[in-house]
Amino acid sequence: MEGSEPTIVSVDGRRIRLTNLDKVLYPETGTTKADVLDYYARVADALISHAANRPATRKRWVHGVGTAEKPGPVFFQKNLDDSTPEWVPRRSIEHREHASDYPLVNDGATLTWLGQIAALEIHVPQWQFGRTGVQKNPDRLVLDLDPGEGAGLLECAEVARLARTILTGMGLDPMPVTSGSKGIHLYAALDGRQDSEAVSSIAHELARALEADHPDLIVSDMKKDLRTGKVLVDWSQNNKNKTTITPYSLRGRIRPTVAAPRTWRELASPDLEQLDYRQVLARLARRGDPLAGLSAGHLASLEPTPERMAGFETSPQADDRLAKYRSMRDGSKTPEPVPGDPAPTSTGQSFVIQEHHARRLHWDFRLEHDGVLVSWALPKGVPTDGNQNHLAVQTEDHPLEYGTFEGSIPQGEYGAGEVTIWDSGSYELEKWRDGREVIVTVHGERHGSHRYALIHTGGRDSASENNWLIHLMESGRDARSLRSRSASRKTVGSPRRSHEKAVAPMLAVLGTEQDLNGGDDWAFEMKWDGIRAIAYVEGDRLRLVSRNGNDLTAGYPDLASIIDSVNADAVLDGEIVAFNSRGRPDFGLLQTRMNLAKRIEIDAAAKTTPAHFIVFDLLESDGRSTLRSSYDERRAHLESAVRARGRVQVPPAFDGNAGDAIRASLELGLEGIMAKKRDGTYSPGRRSRSWIKIKHHLAQEVVIGGWRPGKGRRLSQVGSLLMGIPDGRGLRYVGRVGTGFRERDLDELTTRLRRLERKTAPFLDVPRADASDAHWVTPRLVGEVEFSDWTASGRLRQPAWRGWRPDKSAADVAQETP
């Protein structure tokens, strides 16, 4: 029914006339224009975060997408026409013979208007416009993994994992999106220092390298006759004139599928499929946006001053964020830090508020972003009443070192007067819109947690362009509880519970007693043979997250007593272990608790093999981060905040030297010890020599890339597993393991590996003898072996199977050498 009455709606203060809401745009599923508009309204914050400030090309199906037998006509549109509402934000691009005006999908009103005109698909480039309309360098790299005839989504997922290894080695953090069509898009945030031509060149070389290593699976040439049975790694969408469908956009296919951000865990599933809009809505409401880190990345920074705007936007390569700061200070005359250039990039989220007794008393509010401290001066201080906003004048960016500065700036120098730290800590980013709005929740070490919004006043003249307002949204525990309530209905733009933002655990290096130089500066703990987990406790809610970001909560209901073991909301670092009948940690026994999905199986395993949580670090207590505290300080906080209860244990630090600790560990039948620098802080996600693990036996995590059948009665089962370790070139073969398996595990093992079978070897250098009867598998699964030594040729000598490591991903595996 196309004759339904028009409806007038108000979106972001704009009145929009909606017509033909009953029109069916997807006949196969009966999806109407009203359904499309509802979908775009509910994903608006997430979609806009990935599309904002980018020229949007639209594909419109004004008569619907049609059917497989009779597709509907599609209109490809770049330039805005005369009927476009005047309030739609837009930017112009000069082409060779003309200029085109493109809409910017910067607000919900524009997105609603696009839905009204049946612009189902929204395509954008990898770069953004700056505030003055200059085209910035790309802030993200994208690879389009497109399957040829005879290949499918699972092959694309395999290529994505191969590309992930290379991108991670380049220092990038790739994030997958199932395209809603046939393939997968792989995004990685960039720091904006390369232009589109350079990024395209890098992407092209990456595609060629993948093709060279895996010629039977991957092709980098666009010719269709080369793509049969293979996956095209399309690097060309990094060209500044090319576009990619924006994440969360619908597709104009027979079903209302979506370009849907996914997790790496999902890509490992043999049941991977494209998602439709209803599935995406449910996922977004339940778990947020897996791609949020992309839009909260390097180039979401503000550009506050005319000086920096002129410098950056006329020459993006000259993005010196601290040029203005340096021009105002002489390092020989002021104690303030005056670093060299350029400013480093950073993904940290620290904040500091400094009380500044200059000519006029004010407070400086600074947020770490894009390698600098973005700064505002607050003449009336930090607001304490949500009903009264304070002026915030944006000033020049400051170096990260300023976050710890206290001292007296001499008379005659800029900002002369006394500077003291009023509060500092970390913050959670909720929204950062260039020159318009910033919303953060700060977790201060002195004044607790508060949620603030910084809002630009809208003035563009020289007298007011740096004027903002700072608004207190929530304060103290009210902020935490309100954010918790709103998280149940959140999208990307709404608050997140602190425990839903996973902290990557700090990692240790393998070493020996000689690495400790006598050990006076070290504390010693026992090393527990289990799987690492971060526990997030907020009120009566618990979440357990593995090292590779998997949610373990449902698999360990017997660890609910963690909630009762803390005296405040907390983030705990520890190890999940299972004890045998002698009271010793048994990693093989813990294997029976892994990879269970059915509730009846989980409950049964919890009764027969109860899990315990060994807590050894406290990362946050009652909203206050302890990451910057020393080990000794964190240990003291841990012992006062956490008590042994139920299946939660807080083993004491060892009172003695390294030798005594090693001997005690042997006597207790433990895996080894952990030596931790007493003055060391906690470095999330980093492998640091502040933590050294000393093991009694050599052990190595390995990636499984194939298997060989057994002999005799094991002819139809796995006889040995073929193992590898990723290096800079690919997956290096390190040998096979055929001992240590329990008989009851062999059937499950064979079934599991058959699901991952592939035609070609994933290894670089597997010997012919080992390859002769091998069954190759996608190198996705991680296990652990014990062994006696490394051979001269880089193979494991006398390996024995210890078990699977579902808490690790293939990209995490590295050779451990003391």
Side-chain angles (χ1 to χ4, degrees):
M1 294 186 298
E2 298 186 16
S4 57
E5 289 295 318
T7 300
I8 304 297
V9 297
S10 178
V11 183
D12 292 342
R14 306 295 185 185
R15 288 171 56 83
I16 306 173
R17 186 173 183 263
L18 304 181
T19 60
N20 298 327
L21 294 178
D22 293 334
K23 176 185 282 187
V24 175
L25 296 181
Y26 292 88
E28 182 80 15
T29 58
T31 306
T32 65
K33 181 191 281 191
D35 295 325
V36 168
L37 287 164
D38 176 69
Y39 168 74
Y40 275 136
R42 293 165 67 183
V43 301
D45 283 346
L47 188 151
I48 291 168
S49 71
H50 302 301
N53 301 314
R54 304 176 196 271
T57 299
R58 293 86 66 208
K59 293 177 74 172
R60 298 173 59 194
W61 281 265
V62 296
H63 301 297
V65 301
T67 64
E69 296 75 21
K70 188 178 180 181
V74 57
F75 301 91
F76 191 78
Q77 192 169 10
K78 292 186 176 181
N79 202 25
L80 289 172
D81 53 35
D82 294 339
S83 63
T84 304
E86 57 84 22
W87 47 259
V88 171
R90 64 198 71 194
R91 288 293 187 187
S92 181
I93 296 180
E94 291 286 340
H95 299 291
R96 183 172 300 177
E97 298 178 352
H98 67 283
S100 294
D101 287 334
Y102 291 79
L104 307 179
V105 189
N106 287 7
D107 51 56
T110 300
L111 188 56
T112 301
W113 168 72
L114 290 172
Q116 160 60 23
I117 63 174
L120 301 179
E121 291 191 6
I122 303 168
H123 296 249
V124 296
Q126 312 319 317
W127 54 267
Q128 299 184 42
F129 284 111
R131 196 169 69 185
T132 62
V134 173
Q135 296 180 24
K136 293 183 178 183
N137 280 346
D139 60 343
R140 62 196 191 196
L141 175 148
V142 66
L143 297 176
D144 180 5
L145 311 181
D146 187 9
E149 185 178 352
L153 196 58
L154 292 181
E155 285 75 17
C156 291
E158 183 177 347
V159 175
R161 289 187 290 273
L162 295 171
R164 183 190 189 191
T165 300
I166 296 177
L167 289 166
T168 302
M170 296 166 59
L172 300 177
D173 180 18
M175 307 175 201
V177 174
T178 47
S179 68
S181 178
K182 296 185 296 181
I184 292 173
H185 296 155
L186 208 56
Y187 286 92
L190 301 177
D191 62 11
R193 297 185 184 278
Q194 292 85 27
D195 60 19
S196 294
E197 184 176 354
V199 175
S200 292
S201 178
I202 293 169
H204 196 179
E205 287 304 313
L206 192 154
R208 287 171 174 164
L210 286 167
E211 180 182 28
D213 288 344
H214 308 278
D216 295 330
L217 177 64
I218 297 172
V219 62
S220 63
D221 195 300
M222 305 292 177
K223 296 177 182 176
K224 288 191 175 181
D225 58 354
L226 300 176
R227 296 167 56 182
T228 302
K230 299 181 181 181
V231 175
L232 169 67
V233 179
D234 183 357
W235 50 272
S236 68
Q237 293 180 36
N238 296 284
N239 184 297
K240 73 175 183 177
N241 297 319
K242 294 291 186 72
T243 61
T244 308
I245 191 161
T246 191
Y248 292 102
S249 172
L250 285 162
R251 298 303 298 249
R253 300 179 67 80
I254 302 305
R255 292 175 55 248
T257 51
V258 172
R262 310 297 288 269
T263 65
W264 284 105
R265 183 181 184 184
E266 289 179 293
L267 253 63
S269 171
D271 301 321
L272 181 68
E273 62 180 2
Q274 302 288 347
L275 301 180
D276 66 23
Y277 79 102
R278 293 183 186 276
Q279 293 170 300
V280 170
L281 286 174
R283 287 162 48 84
L284 193 58
R286 185 172 65 252
R287 64 179 75 172
D289 179 13
L291 202 64
L294 186 69
S295 61
H298 306 292
L299 289 190
S301 57
L302 297 172
E303 302 161 10
T305 61
E307 294 83 359
R308 181 152 61 87
M309 286 301 301
F312 173 66
E313 294 213 335
T314 55
S315 177
Q317 289 78 11
D319 181 19
D320 183 357
R321 302 288 302 274
L322 297 177
K324 179 68 174 178
Y325 176 90
R326 293 189 196 91
S327 71
M328 302 165 73
R329 290 164 177 83
D330 184 340
S332 65
K333 297 179 180 178
T334 178
E336 300 165 281
V338 185
D341 58 87
T345 59
S346 170
T347 58
Q349 289 182 313
S350 65
F351 86 94
V352 64
I353 301 173
Q354 288 158 318
E355 186 174 336
H356 192 169
H357 290 261
R359 184 166 56 91
R360 291 183 179 178
L361 172 64
H362 65 275
W363 282 256
D364 293 308
F365 188 94
R366 311 188 196 277
L367 299 173
E368 179 180 351
H369 195 73
D370 199 15
V372 297
L373 291 173
V374 180
S375 301
W376 292 263
L378 312 181
K380 295 186 177 180
V382 182
T384 57
D385 183 350
N387 295 318
Q388 186 172 6
N389 299 329
H390 286 189
L391 175 66
V393 180
Q394 192 159 23
T395 63
E396 72 278 7
D397 293 336
H398 282 51
L400 296 181
E401 297 93 327
Y402 216 97
T404 58
F405 172 68
E406 291 185 295
S408 182
I409 302 173
Q411 292 298 317
E413 297 302 306
Y414 174 76
E418 195 72 23
V419 176
T420 58
I421 293 177
W422 185 80
D423 202 0
S424 64
S426 63
Y427 74 89
E428 295 176 53
L429 177 63
E430 182 180 331
K431 186 178 293 187
W432 196 298
R433 300 168 65 193
D434 281 6
R436 297 176 66 182
E437 181 182 18
V438 176
I439 300 178
V440 296
T441 298
V442 302
H443 299 299
E445 296 173 355
R446 301 181 184 179
H447 297 285
S449 299
H450 305 277
R451 184 166 169 244
Y452 296 107
L454 287 145
I455 304 164
H456 193 269
T457 60
R460 294 303 180 198
D461 59 284
S462 59
S464 62
E465 69 173 341
N466 292 326
N467 287 351
W468 296 58
L469 294 176
I470 182 169
H471 169 65
L472 176 65
M473 301 177 74
E474 299 142 28
S475 182
R477 293 192 61 86
D478 291 338
R480 300 171 62 84
S481 61
L482 183 58
R483 296 173 70 245
S484 177
R485 291 195 298 273
S486 62
S488 63
R489 59 180 185 274
K490 74 179 181 64
T491 58
V492 167
S494 62
R496 304 180 72 179
R497 287 185 300 274
S498 59
H499 67 256
E500 289 190 336
K501 181 177 181 182
V503 177
M506 181 174 173
L507 305 176
V509 300
L510 186 64
T512 65
E513 187 176 353
Q514 286 67 42
D515 294 317
L516 306 181
N517 298 321
D520 292 341
D521 299 327
W522 298 83
F524 304 104
E525 299 175 359
M526 298 296 108
K527 189 174 189 313
W528 301 93
D529 198 5
I531 58 174
R532 188 82 170 273
I534 303 292
Y536 301 85
V537 178
E538 185 168 11
D540 60 354
R541 297 194 59 178
L542 168 69
R543 187 168 181 242
L544 293 168
V545 179
S546 71
R547 175 178 142 181
N548 60 346
N550 291 335
D551 193 323
L552 305 175
T553 316
Y556 296 92
D558 41 335
L559 294 181
S561 58
I562 293 175
I563 296 172
D564 299 322
S565 69
V566 294
N567 56 22
D569 291 352
V571 179
L572 309 173
D573 192 357
E575 196 93 358
I576 299 175
V577 302
F579 292 105
N580 59 24
S581 58
R582 295 177 297 153
R584 302 288 188 261
D586 189 328
F587 188 70
L589 198 58
L590 187 62
Q591 292 281 301
T592 64
R593 296 296 306 271
M594 300 179 187
N595 301 311
L596 301 179
K598 297 179 179 178
R599 171 54 60 185
I600 190 171
E601 294 176 342
I602 293 171
D603 290 343
K607 291 179 180 178
T608 58
T609 309
H612 296 255
F613 191 55
I614 309 297
V615 188
F616 49 72
D617 219 321
L618 177 69
L619 311 186
E620 182 180 310
S621 178
D622 203 18
R624 297 190 179 189
S625 171
T626 61
L627 299 180
R628 293 186 176 184
S629 302
S630 69
Y631 167 83
D632 283 340
E633 291 169 332
R634 296 199 313 278
R635 185 74 202 187
H637 286 312
L638 172 66
E639 292 176 354
S640 64
V642 183
R643 60 182 178 183
R645 187 184 182 93
R647 300 215 172 98
V648 179
Q649 298 183 27
V650 187
F654 186 82
D655 186 14
N657 58 34
D660 293 336
I662 292 170
R663 284 188 289 274
S665 176
L666 277 168
E667 292 171 2
L668 292 170
L670 301 179
E671 188 184 11
I673 69 167
M674 293 289 299
K676 299 182 178 181
K677 268 290 190 68
R678 291 188 176 278
D679 60 356
T681 58
Y682 193 98
S683 302
R686 289 186 52 203
R687 192 175 296 280
S688 169
R689 294 198 67 82
S690 291
W691 285 11
I692 294 179
K693 54 185 174 182
I694 301 174
K695 294 184 176 182
H696 304 313
H697 307 287
L698 293 177
Q700 175 65 52
E701 294 164 3
V702 292
V703 180
I704 305 304
W707 60 279
R708 297 180 66 188
K711 306 296 182 183
R713 63 185 179 88
R714 287 178 61 181
L715 188 61
S716 61
Q717 294 178 315
V718 170
S720 61
L721 298 176
L722 307 183
M723 306 173 292
I725 295 176
D727 63 17
R729 300 172 300 131
L731 190 64
R732 177 171 61 86
Y733 183 70
V734 295
R736 54 192 177 94
V737 56
T739 62
F741 300 108
R742 295 174 298 182
E743 194 68 30
R744 64 178 182 271
D745 293 337
L746 290 175
D747 288 336
E748 184 274 334
L749 183 64
T750 305
T751 301
R752 189 177 188 186
L753 292 175
R754 285 196 186 278
R755 295 189 188 124
L756 300 176
E757 285 195 352
R758 54 181 275 172
K759 294 180 179 179
T760 57
F763 301 108
L764 297 171
D765 51 358
V766 60
R768 182 175 300 176
D770 285 357
S772 60
D773 59 349
H775 298 259
W776 306 118
V777 300
T778 301
R780 178 185 307 163
L781 301 176
V782 176
E784 186 172 313
V785 296
E786 284 186 354
F787 65 105
S788 62
D789 202 358
W790 288 97
T791 69
S793 59
R795 305 284 192 260
L796 294 166
R797 180 175 284 125
Q798 299 176 352
W801 182 250
R802 296 195 71 235
W804 294 112
R805 297 304 310 234
D807 56 324
K808 308 290 177 69
S809 62
D812 295 328
V813 175
Q815 182 171 335
E816 294 199 74
T817 305

